[in-house]
Amino acid sequence: RFFDPNNKNFQWNLFDLIIVLSSWGEDVIRMASINVSALRIARLLRLARILRIVRVMRFFQDLRLMVQGILASLKPLLWCIMLLLMIIFCVAMFVLQVLVNELTDNPDKDLSSLIANFGGLPMTMYTLYMSMTGGISWGEPAAQLSKINPAMIFMYSSFIAFSVLCMLNIITGV
């Protein structure tokens, strides 16, 4: 009856048998020899013990449902992250273009504080990301950008409003 294919728990019984046999196989290899290749097999058999969790998982229907939901939302989440990165990239390019124009027009102007946050494309994107996620207060980089042009405060505030109020809410909804 245990291995009767008509038994409704046949697959689980077979699964349990495989787990037990792999555990026994590990013990036999450990006691029989200390061969390096045998130890590798023993490690693989030890990993098979982790599969016992799957046996218990059938009792956690809600947990399984949540994991399936997370896995199903990965593709839309990746697209949201790509859109967010494109927006950050475009704003970073705009900020860098304005900064480079200011540096070429006024080479004597001290913009060292701006260079610290907006010194290159990766650093600018990182500053924008930190501003929108709360890593730094967005008012500090906006105040630094206002030294170049007061309209940059409006641009930076618009970026923060759009990214925080629109994009992050969309990502939360996904």
Side-chain angles (χ1 to χ4, degrees):
R1 262 180 79 130
F2 187 75
F3 288 111
D4 183 18
N6 295 329
N7 185 355
K8 68 176 185 169
N9 291 323
F10 170 73
Q11 294 172 336
W12 286 114
N13 294 340
L14 188 61
F15 181 72
D16 286 340
L17 177 69
I18 292 170
I19 296 295
V20 169
L21 288 177
S22 69
S23 180
W24 284 354
E26 179 186 349
D27 292 337
V28 168
I29 290 173
R30 193 177 316 132
M31 285 188 266
S33 68
I34 306 181
N35 189 359
V36 175
S37 62
L39 288 177
R40 288 184 189 145
I41 293 172
R43 286 185 196 136
L44 288 174
L45 291 174
R46 199 174 305 137
L47 286 174
R49 286 185 184 179
I50 295 172
L51 294 175
R52 291 180 188 167
I53 295 172
V54 176
R55 173 78 164 123
V56 176
M57 285 291 286
R58 75 177 178 162
F59 298 111
F60 297 112
Q61 296 284 336
D62 295 335
L63 178 62
R64 189 180 323 161
L65 183 64
M66 287 190 292
V67 169
Q68 288 173 347
I70 289 171
L71 292 176
S73 68
L74 283 179
K75 185 177 177 184
L77 179 64
L78 288 175
W79 282 114
C80 286
I81 290 171
M82 286 297 296
L83 180 61
L84 190 60
L85 283 174
M86 288 189 310
I87 291 169
I88 290 173
F89 176 79
C90 291
V91 172
M93 289 299 292
F94 176 76
V95 168
L96 283 176
Q97 188 63 44
V98 171
L99 183 60
V100 167
N101 286 343
E102 183 65 24
L103 286 172
T104 55
D105 292 345
N106 302 318
D108 297 335
K109 196 172 184 180
D110 181 32
L111 299 174
S112 58
S113 63
L114 276 170
I115 302 284
N117 283 331
F118 303 102
L121 183 62
M123 191 62 198
T124 304
M125 290 178 70
Y126 182 62
T127 301
L128 292 171
Y129 174 76
M130 286 185 11
S131 295
M132 65 180 270
T133 57
I136 59 173
S137 172
W138 65 269
E140 297 167 13
Q144 291 174 345
L145 289 173
S146 69
K147 294 176 184 175
I148 296 175
N149 188 339
M152 292 296 283
I153 291 178
F154 175 73
M155 185 280 310
Y156 206 81
S157 301
S158 299
F159 164 73
I160 294 298
F162 177 75
S163 62
V164 170
L165 299 177
C166 295
M167 287 302 301
L168 293 183
N169 282 329
I170 289 171
I171 290 174
T172 301
V174 169

